[in-house]
Amino acid sequence: MLTYHDVTAEPGSAGRAGREHEVEALRAAGLEVLARLQCELPDIAGAAAGYDEPDASWFRENAMRPSTLLSDPERTLLVEVSEWFGGEASLRFRTELDDGSLVETLRKLARGPFEVDPGLPFDMLRSHTPETGRSIEVHALEPAALLAAHRAHLARVAGRARPILHGLESHIPLLERAMQHDIACRRVSGARGMLAIGWLGLSGMLALIVSGLLDVPYRYVAVGEAVLIGTLLFGAMPFVRLVYPWVKRAAPFRGRPPRNAGIAGASLALVAVVALSLLGLGLARGAGWLETGALAAGTLWFVGSVGRAVGEVVSDFEGSTRIDPTLAILGEGAQRMVAEARAGRRDVVVSRLAEVPHERTITLSTLAPCLPDAVVEAWAASDDYDGVIALGYAQLDRAWRARGSGYADTVTEEGAQRFQTHLRRALEVFARAAELRPDAAEPHALACQTLAAVDPEAAERAFRAATERDPTDEMAWISMLSARCAKWFGSDDAMFALARSAPPGLEMLIVRAHLEIWLAGGEHHFDDPAVRRELATAWTAFRDSDNRSLHAWNHFAFALCLAEMELPAREALEHIWARFDEIPWSWYGEPREALAECREWAGLPPAW
C-alpha cells in the first residue's frame, strides 16, 4: 500500500521536488505552496521491474522524489505537481465536495511508461466514475489555463454540493484513498478485458459438442483452438501487463461478502463442470490423456478468468458511496463538518453544539477526535468546558486506535501501553471537567464509560456520581450495563436487573441487555415470545417518552428487525432514516448494508 509523508521541513526538499516553472506559474495565479509530499514505496526495485528500459532506470532514480502540494487561500483546492516519465510535469487539481465526491482535472501527458499506451488518455480517465463520486477531466494546457479549466469543471459537476476545506492532515488520507481507487479501477478494467477473452474458454465446450455432432476429429478441434488462443494471448499480453496486475497475484473479491461468496462458489462450480465435461467428452471419443488434458487446462484457464472478472466488483470511490458509519449519524453535511474539523476549525464543533444541543454526545464523540491535537489541546487549555470534554473524547479515540478493536491476544505490548496512557489522560481530563462544572453528570458518565471494561468498582463510583446529578443520563446507564454483563465483570441476571431498574425513557437498556444475549451466541433469542413481549412493552414506553437519542432509536430499530416485529420496526427505521449508528448495526455486518437490508424487509424505500 502506498503512503505519503510530509517532507517540507527536510533540507533540500524544494530542490528535490523540482518543476519550479509550473510551481511558480501556479503561485502567480494566486495559489500557495502547502507542503512537499514523498510517496513511500515498499519495494522500488520490484515496481521498477515492471517497466522497460530506460523507464525502469528513471523510476528507480525518481520514485522517491517529492511532489509539491499547492492550495488556494480558501483551502478548497489542492494541486499536486510532480515529475513524470520523460521529464514531463504531472499536474493534478483536486476539489472534494461536501457530498463526498471528488472533482479532478489533470494535465494530459505525452506518454506513459509503456509504449502501448501513448498519450495516456485511457489510463488517466480509467478512474473517471462520476456515477460513484469521482469526476476526472484531462486537458493539454499550461498551469494557469488548467486552473481555469478545473474551476469550470467544478462548476459543471458540483450542482448543490459545496467545496470543503482541506488542510495537509486531511489531504494525505484523500490522496491515499484516490490512489487505492486508481488501483481498483485498473483491476476492474483488466477484468473487463479478460472477461471478453475468457469467454473463449466456453467456446472449447461448444467446439467439442459441435465436433461431436459433425464427427470432426478431436485433434483438429484441439489444434485449431490452441492456435486461436495463442494468437489472442500474444496480441493481448501488452494490455494484460499494463492493466491486469493480478495475473501474477490474485486480487481479493470486492463488494458485499454474501454476493461475492455466491460468485466464487458459482465460478468454482462452473470450472468443475467444464473440467468434467472436457475430460468426459475427450476420453469418450478416444482422445489421449495428453491432448485432452492440454485442451482442458487451456480452457479452464479462460473459464477461471471469467470467474475472476465477474468477481471483481466495480470499486466505488471511498467517501462518496460507502458511508462511514461513524459519520452517518451526524446527518446532512457530515463530510463537510469532519473535513473542516480536520482543517483545524473548532468553530464547526461549537456551532453544531449550539444548533443541536440534544445531540451533544454524537457531536463531540465524532468531531472532537478529528480536530488536530494542537487545536483541541489549545481549546481545552482555555478552561472552556466543551473544550475539556472534547479533549477527553480525543484521548478515548486515541486509546482505542492504539489498542485496536480485537481480542486481548491481538493487542501488541506497545499498543497496550499506549492504550493505558491515553485512558489515564482521559480520566484526568474528565476530572478536570468535573471541577469546572461540579453539577454536570457528563464528566462522571464519561469516566464510567472509560472504566467500565477496566475497573468495575471505580466504574460503579463514577456511575453513582453521574446518576446523582442526572438520574436519566443515558451514557452512564449504558456504561454500567456493559460493566455488569457476563462478558466483563457481571452476569446476565445482574445486567437485566440494572436494565429493568432504569427510570422511564431509558427502555433502550432492556433492548441492549437482550442484544448482549444475542451477541453471546443466542441466535434464536428474539424468537422467544417472552422476549418479544418485553421488547414490545419497552418500545411502547420509549416511543411515548421524550427521549430523542438517535443511539436509542437505532438500538430499537435493530432489535425490532431481529425480532421480526414489522410495524414497530418500520416506525423506528423511518425515524432514523439514513442516520444509522455503527453500534448496533455493525453487529450484523457492514452497517450500511445491514440497515439497507432491514429497510427493504420493512417495505421502506432506500435511504440513499
Side-chain angles (χ1 to χ4, degrees), residues 223-234:
V223 171
E225 187 169 285
V227 171
L228 177 62
I229 290 174
T231 302
L232 287 170
L233 264 180
F234 181 81

Side-chain angles (χ1 to χ4, degrees), residues 44 55-65:
I44 295 177
D55 291 326
S57 297
W58 182 94
F59 186 86
R60 283 190 292 268
E61 294 173 3
N62 294 275
M64 299 298 289
R65 177 176 288 198

Side-chain angles (χ1 to χ4, degrees), residues 6-174:
D6 181 15
V7 296
T8 308
E10 294 184 8
S13 64
R16 288 191 293 124
R19 311 314 315 181
E20 291 87 353
H21 171 73
E22 288 77 11
V23 171
E24 289 304 318
L26 292 171
R27 292 181 66 182
L31 303 188
E32 305 168 356
V33 174
L34 188 60
R36 292 180 182 86
L37 302 179
Q38 181 171 291
C39 176
E40 298 289 343
L41 290 172
D43 182 11
I44 295 177
Y51 302 142
D52 295 327
E53 293 294 348
D55 291 326
S57 297
W58 182 94
F59 186 86
R60 283 190 292 268
E61 294 173 3
N62 294 275
M64 299 298 289
R65 177 176 288 198
S67 60
T68 301
L69 183 67
L70 299 97
S71 180
D72 58 355
E74 294 79 24
R75 296 292 187 263
T76 59
L77 167 67
L78 293 162
V79 185
E80 186 182 2
V81 181
S82 60
E83 285 280 349
W84 187 250
F85 290 88
E88 289 188 88
S90 171
L91 276 72
R92 285 179 172 265
F93 293 72
R94 290 189 177 96
T95 299
E96 188 177 12
L97 304 176
D98 62 3
D99 64 355
S101 58
L102 182 66
V103 181
E104 293 179 280
T105 306
L106 316 180
R107 185 190 225 180
K108 185 178 180 181
L109 300 168
R111 61 176 291 272
F114 294 97
E115 294 299 331
V116 298
D117 196 14
L120 282 176
F122 172 70
D123 187 58
M124 297 180 77
L125 288 171
R126 195 196 321 271
S127 302
H128 174 61
T129 54
E131 69 282 358
T132 61
R134 193 176 182 189
S135 177
I136 300 177
E137 288 187 359
V138 178
H139 300 281
L141 298 171
E142 291 302 308
L146 195 61
L147 174 60
H150 177 74
R151 287 171 172 159
H153 178 201
L154 182 64
R156 285 194 300 275
V157 304
R160 297 176 62 184
R162 297 182 299 166
I164 60 178
L165 303 179
H166 266 294
L168 181 60
E169 298 86 356
S170 54
H171 175 66
I172 291 179
L174 174 66

